[in-house]
Amino acid sequence: MFDYESLRVIWWALLGVLLIGFAIMDGFDFGIAALLRVLGRNDEERLVLLETIEPTWEGNQVWFILGGGAAFAAWPMLYAVSFSGMYLAIFLVLVAFILRPVGFNFRGKIHDARWRNLWDWVLVASGVVVMLISGVAFGNLFLGVPFQFDGDLRMSWHGSFFELLHPFALVAGLVSLSMLLAHGACWAAMKADQTIAVRAAKLARWLTLVYVVLYVLAGIWLAYGVSGYAIVGPVVTDGVSNPLFKEVARGSSWFASYMQYPWFWLAPVLALLGAIGVQLTVAKTGLAAFASSSLMVAGTILSAGFALFPFLLPSSLDPRSSLTVWDASSSRGTLGLMLGATAIFMPLIILYTSWVYRVLRGRVTLDHVRDSSHTY
């Protein structure tokens, strides 16, 4: 049905959709965890915050699993290089993912303030680590990561974890952190007891301002302080997946794709409109504010993805080894088969998720926490 070039573009877009789904659906979970000790002034208020995500946080992780699965099956080179080279960073993220459910389940096993405080801080750390490292990883995509292929496509990595902590990458990490903290605060403003919601709304507005400043700073830095990558010569969009069959040069602008496809500018516009929407609605309508923060998240990820296009993972050691949409995918047959399965199952996931959130609509109140028995 689709030619090889179209399937590659479709799966590039689907990878973006899965990343956005993960950031929106799991992002507010991590945001709530990271803000647990800030928004929750006492144990009852922290129970309220945990109750807002308790029924859904496990289901939200389906987007993380789908994203990893899609990268493994549709973009095997991207999966192999990133998961091998960034092993320590990914290990820290996985540890945070493991400790979060342990914190949820162990927090209420012993009714002791010190015990609960310990697991509260574990939840805070798990949220911060995932949000920060995810942004740092995105920042390093623009800088290029230290890998290269030999003539037999054997990959070698020549960097360390601390080399990933470049100042630009750290700014990108702070963009991610402030954005998802604001997203979590918007969720609390929509779902938590009114006492907590008022506090969350104020915090969401401040965090959104921080996000806008950092987002604009990162954009200016990217435009004037970070060299972009460009494919030199003819671009083969339907050839075999071998990154060494092309030539890549550094020195261009990462915004060259925005010049080639002007509609790409809709992404940063949507991100900033989402931030403005949070400012205007978070103190009035929780649902509108959460929709605005979701738009902010989606626009931010899209703006990064559009700037990188067609690159998936640039190489700082050997630009020719950089992975692009045109030379890092699975075969046409694999992409087509996976697209058919996705067309069936993704709508089911979206419908089921929508139904769950409709059933669980409404606020979690302090009275509910006081009148019910909980495992936290």
Side-chain angles (χ1 to χ4, degrees):
M1 181 180 294
F2 295 103
D3 58 31
Y4 202 7
E5 176 184 356
S6 299
L7 283 171
R8 282 169 160 166
V9 174
I10 289 170
W11 272 101
W12 169 76
L14 283 174
L15 182 61
V17 169
L18 293 173
L19 286 174
I20 290 170
F22 166 61
I24 291 176
M25 302 306 297
D26 236 8
F28 72 80
D29 285 352
F30 284 106
I32 289 292
L35 293 172
L36 191 61
R37 301 288 300 194
V38 176
L39 293 177
R41 299 291 176 81
N42 54 51
D43 194 59
E44 286 184 342
E45 291 186 352
R46 289 191 279 274
L47 283 172
V48 167
L49 290 168
L50 292 173
E51 280 287 316
T52 66
I53 60 175
E54 186 274 334
T56 56
W57 70 266
E58 287 181 291
N60 289 340
Q61 292 191 146
V62 70
W63 294 99
F64 177 73
I65 297 169
L66 286 173
F72 174 76
W75 308 101
M77 288 188 180
L78 173 65
Y79 182 92
V81 173
S82 59
F83 275 64
S84 298
M86 299 184 184
Y87 181 83
L88 182 55
I90 293 173
F91 175 77
L92 290 175
V93 169
L94 291 177
V95 168
F97 266 93
I98 293 169
L99 287 178
R100 186 172 62 148
V102 174
F104 286 151
N105 291 319
F106 275 49
R107 186 181 185 277
K109 295 299 184 182
I110 300 176
H111 296 286
D112 178 83
R114 291 172 299 178
W115 176 263
R116 292 196 171 194
N117 288 338
L118 169 64
W119 290 109
D120 285 349
W121 286 112
V122 168
L123 292 173
V124 169
S126 70
V128 171
V129 165
V130 172
M131 294 185 289
L132 185 62
I133 290 182
S134 297
V136 169
F138 256 98
N140 274 282
L141 295 184
F142 292 103
L143 298 168
V145 290
F147 76 94
Q148 62 183 9
F149 291 108
D150 64 13
D152 296 320
L153 290 184
R154 290 176 296 188
M155 189 274 290
S156 58
W157 185 277
H158 301 273
S160 67
F161 171 77
F162 294 102
E163 290 177 3
L164 299 176
L165 303 180
H166 184 278
F168 174 79
L170 291 176
V171 169
L174 293 176
V175 171
S176 172
L177 181 62
S178 58
M179 175 183 71
L180 295 178
L181 286 176
H183 190 47
C186 287
W187 176 261
M190 179 178 68
K191 290 288 293 182
D193 186 89
Q194 195 62 43
T195 302
I196 305 172
V198 171
R199 196 180 303 144
K202 293 179 181 178
L203 184 59
R205 297 181 71 176
W206 281 106
L207 287 168
T208 305
L209 287 174
V210 173
Y211 156 79
V212 170
V213 172
L214 291 171
Y215 180 68
V216 172
L217 173 62
I220 295 172
W221 195 338
L222 188 63
Y224 298 103
V226 179
S227 296
Y229 289 64
I231 300 177
V232 179
V235 179
V236 180
T237 59
D238 58 355
V240 297
S241 289
N242 188 329
L244 300 182
F245 287 173
K246 67 178 182 305
E247 292 295 331
V248 175
R250 297 198 66 174
S252 62
S253 171
W254 276 119
F255 288 94
S257 59
Y258 281 76
M259 303 299 106
Q260 185 176 1
Y261 308 102
W263 63 271
F264 279 8
W265 288 103
L266 288 174
V269 169
L270 289 177
L272 294 176
L273 285 177
I276 293 171
V278 172
Q279 293 291 324
L280 296 177
T281 62
V282 71
K284 302 173 183 177
T285 309
L287 180 59
F290 183 73
S292 296
S293 67
S294 299
L295 184 65
M296 179 175 70
V297 172
T300 303
I301 294 175
L302 286 174
S303 63
F306 289 164
L308 283 165
F309 185 83
F311 289 90
L312 296 171
L313 192 66
S315 169
S316 59
L317 292 181
D318 176 24
R320 190 175 63 141
S321 295
S322 300
L323 303 180
T324 74
V325 172
W326 314 125
D327 56 28
S329 72
S330 294
S331 68
R332 179 184 176 184
T334 300
L335 296 182
L337 181 63
M338 289 175 56
L339 183 61
T342 302
I344 296 172
F345 290 106
M346 184 171 283
L348 294 176
I349 293 172
I350 294 173
L351 287 172
Y352 172 74
T353 302
S354 301
W355 174 77
V356 168
Y357 279 91
R358 176 172 174 77
V359 170
L360 297 172
R361 65 188 182 277
R363 293 186 181 275
V364 178
T365 65
L366 285 167
D367 290 337
H368 166 74
V369 168
R370 292 166 183 151
D371 296 340
S372 305
S373 59
H374 299 275
T375 58
Y376 290 121

